[in-house]
Amino acid sequence: MTPPDSVGPNTRAVHSEGDGEYKHRAVSCPIYQTSAFSFDSAEVGASLFRGETQGFIYTRLGNPTTEALQNTIAALEHGSSALATASGMAATSTLLVGLLKSGDHVVCSHAVYGPTRVLLERELVRFGIRSTFVETSDTDAVRAALEPGTRLLFIETPANPTLTVTDLAACAELARARGALMAVDNTFASPYLQTPLDLGADVVVHSLTKFINGHSDVVAGMIVLRDRDLHKRLRSALTTLGGTVDPHQAWLVLRGTKTLGLRMAQAQASAQKVAERLRGHKAVAWVSYPGLPDHPHHERARRQMRGFGAMVCFGPHGGYPAVQRILNRVRLCTLGVSLGGVETLIQHPATMTHASLSDEARAAAGIGPDLIRLALGIEDAEDLIADLDQALAEG
Ligand SMILES: *Cc1c(COP(=O)(O)O)cnc(C)c1O
């Protein structure tokens, strides 16, 4: 059964695998752990290869379990199709390599996932693709950075790790006027809270590793599209470059996706409580969370998102030495990078996820030495607050 467009995100997450008609009437999608599929006859095999018959040939080209996941994420993102990849970076690299050519120009958010920046600055530049990094939450800066040769505007919002919020509808309009495509890395918000295709984006990429899978046990990614031609182009790039997902990984993510809404609701409720508690704490100099009314993009986030997310950043008084003390003192929060799992993670971007950036790039992206990033899990908020309180206590 494919649900009608009117159903809510939790119904979509559960019922969008496809026709759902599995062998023996299995309720859960089976794991098709196979590299190849057999053909009924020589004629059918030839027809499959000509693209005249729909069916599976070889798992790098397509697999029923992977397809169930693609259908589910496409439905959650309000897209028409999706391509599952071996990691979030495989989604981004397939998009960029599949779309761009020598001489093209990219405008990208300053505070973007570190390896995305490395991909543009150190890899694609060797193929004659230029990039400009701007604070995309400043719409005027985006307007100024777009050039006649700009092929792609790549946005991450809320930004990693600064949590600035970019006005997606305004940026989509600017990109369209320039004849550029707009892609959004929607990993931080997840489709439960934000659907960029509804706001004018052409492509969404995900690290499924994070909130969508939600259990810190899989690395995978997804490209979501609304345009059939772009789907064809990127499907060809993906199956040729080879960064496709393994069926077992796809199944694990599909299982995680079913509870995305429940987990996001719990994690973001905790994020709000933790952000409010931290803001009132005398050991804390500043807190950034889009759900706080004094966040510079609070109203914008309210307009384009269905919640404020589960990421919180804060800076303690006392700079890096205070950061080290807190990171070494937490007991319930786990000191580790990544995000979106059931367990709350805490990390220091300047020396961890964003350590590979130049000092200038880090400064321009607003990642100071005192910035601590919290990725809320689904534990009880009171327990997380108690843990942070003891870590922030004097002495
Ligand atoms: C983790 C992450 C990625 C990369 O995903 P992988 O699955 O680790 O390759 C991309 N974008 C954002 C925002 C991320 O958090």
Side-chain angles (χ1 to χ4, degrees), residues 87-90 92 113 116 156 160 185 187-188 207-210 219-221 339:
S87 67
M89 282 314 298
T92 301
Y113 185 66
T116 300
E156 201 175 302
N160 176 21
D185 182 334
T187 301
F188 262 39
S207 171
L208 302 177
T209 313
K210 313 297 169 51
V219 172
L339 53 122

Side-chain angles (χ1 to χ4, degrees), residues 307-332:
F308 299 108
M311 306 296 295
V312 176
C313 289
F314 70 99
H317 289 298
Y320 185 52
V323 168
Q324 281 175 301
R325 231 166 53 99
I326 293 162
L327 295 190
N328 288 329
R329 274 190 176 192
V330 286
R331 299 186 195 124
L332 187 58

